[in-house]
Amino acid sequence: MKLFLLLVVLAVANGAQEWTDVCGGGGHPSAMLHQTANHSRVYAVMFDAGSTGTRIHVYAFVHTQADALPILDNETFHSVKPGLSAHVHAPETAAHSVRTLLKVAKSAVPPSQWKNTPVMLRATAGLRLMSPDKAQALLSQVQHVFDDSPFLVPDNSLGIMDGTSEGILAWVTVNFLSGHLHALTEQTVGILDLGGASTQITFLPKRADCSVEKDDVVRVDMFNSSFHLNTHSYLGNGLMAARLSTLRARSVSSAVFKSPCLPKRFQGEWSFGGETYQVSGDPDGASGYTACYEDVLKTVKGIVHHPGFEDHVTLFYAFAYYFDCAVDAHLIDEVHGGRLEVRDFKRRAKEVCKETRKDDFPVSPFLCLDLTYISCLLSDGLRFKDNTALQLCKKVSNVEASWALGAILDHFENLQTHRGGGAC
């Protein structure tokens, strides 16, 4: 199986230069496939248990002929909300969403292949923020569902992924799908992943930077190559966790969180991590971008640090909530994504926050807060320049931009990682 996946990697990498639409729907690797009746498929199922939702990825790899290389054929993707962490007070209900998503896998994988198809789940920051006993109670419910399923359940089928692995595997996925892991490719792309409870930045520096903290340098051995990656994960700095921190910024003992980031006359409820909060604007206080930025900065300053990526990376791919917020703000197309500069988030945040002073506030009352946070995270935290280019993607070559595919490759290839693996 390890040899099989290695051939998959080489086949996709060799063909990647032919793909024309990196973020859109044109250039799917299956377009290179010459359909014959002799195809054999290998499937794998990965659950992404995030803080705000649970997603299933069903991957199909195709082997065309005995003397031909297999390729990644397609991905079946589906998601449900809320995430597992929302069931913290009733762990037995956590299994329902997983059981529902398994129906997607049963439809995508032929019954004859169920017993050979591994099914796995990796939880991210939503469960990392929980106490170990509460997180384990949720995972135990999922384990029962897996054990009752007709799929192959590996020994390591369930687990909580640490932030470093999340960033590395997302980098593997994006560079794999965009063709940048090809042996002849000198340039790779960096990744920015903004989840609900954590955010990651990972990139391959052109040269060793001895000023970088050792824990932020990881050597990854994969596909007969070694990559010395700079990577960092910030737990508590995902978009939803940042919302909560910002809403609490001016609250003392009130049961209602008032914020200048919300429309002045807005009142409502907001849920995250299994808890529901009363939130509102402040009709008698300050509002708008400047006041909002002041509160948002408290969740970034001194926590998110400059990773020193200048002159290393030509382009960063940004996805998850970076993409969703850009779509909500009408900065990019929902289907094809688009390329933005950091200054575009700041400009749009100022426009949206100005609108929150009116009675007819935007569809999402949190859009001012979210755009301001992204602007602050990129500018004051990671210290990107205003003209730094970001490629906003939901998919890369028709496959979801996330760590999931990298985790499947990790499962089959057993990627080797070494912290502090720099050359200094």
Side-chain angles (χ1 to χ4, degrees), residues 51-53 55 81 192-198 238-240 243 272 318-328 345 370-371 374 392:
S51 59
T52 57
R55 304 113 193 166
K81 293 183 178 182
L192 294 169
D193 185 358
L194 180 60
S198 69
L239 189 67
M240 298 300 126
R243 271 189 193 179
F272 175 63
F319 44 92
Y321 278 119
Y322 285 114
F323 177 90
D324 294 341
C325 288
V327 169
D328 291 344
F345 279 107
D370 293 346
L371 289 173
I374 288 175
L392 278 293

Side-chain angles (χ1 to χ4, degrees), residues 173-346:
T173 294
V174 171
N175 281 278
F176 167 73
L177 292 171
S178 59
H180 290 98
L181 292 186
H182 187 265
L184 300 179
T185 300
E186 295 182 359
Q187 187 66 264
T188 60
V189 296
I191 67 99
L192 294 169
D193 185 358
L194 180 60
S198 69
T199 185
Q200 286 74 229
I201 177 172
T202 305
F203 62 95
L204 177 67
K206 292 180 180 177
R207 59 186 179 277
D209 185 350
C210 296
S211 66
V212 177
E213 295 182 21
K214 275 193 172 184
D215 286 346
D216 287 351
V217 180
V218 178
R219 192 185 87 223
V220 182
D221 298 327
M222 59 183 178
F223 317 144
N224 295 326
S225 298
S226 291
F227 300 89
H228 293 85
L229 301 178
N230 282 17
T231 184
H232 197 95
S233 177
Y234 297 96
L235 184 62
N237 282 92
L239 189 67
M240 298 300 126
R243 271 189 193 179
L244 184 57
S245 296
T246 302
L247 291 170
R248 284 173 168 166
R250 301 192 181 209
S251 300
V252 181
S253 59
S254 173
V256 179
F257 293 161
K258 293 183 179 181
S259 172
C261 301
L262 297 175
K264 274 184 169 289
R265 300 189 184 281
F266 170 75
Q267 294 183 8
E269 292 184 342
W270 174 69
S271 298
F272 175 63
E275 303 293 339
T276 298
Y277 305 93
Q278 301 296 319
V279 300
S280 77
D282 188 353
D284 302 318
S287 66
Y289 178 80
T290 301
C292 181
Y293 202 98
E294 181 181 324
D295 284 359
V296 164
L297 187 59
K298 297 174 184 177
T299 72
V300 172
K301 193 171 184 179
I303 300 172
V304 179
H305 62 259
H306 179 44
F309 57 84
E310 291 94 341
D311 302 322
H312 288 308
V313 181
T314 303
L315 182 66
F316 274 88
Y317 278 44
F319 44 92
Y321 278 119
Y322 285 114
F323 177 90
D324 294 341
C325 288
V327 169
D328 291 344
H330 304 294
L331 287 170
I332 59 171
D333 178 78
E334 184 175 7
V335 176
H336 299 292
R339 188 168 297 193
L340 299 175
E341 293 182 346
V342 169
R343 71 175 107 227
D344 294 321
F345 279 107
K346 185 181 298 184

Side-chain angles (χ1 to χ4, degrees), residues 407-424:
I408 287 294
L409 296 174
D410 183 16
H411 172 73
F412 286 119
E413 286 294 320
N414 190 24
L415 310 185
Q416 299 297 312
T417 61
H418 310 273
R419 289 181 182 269
C424 300

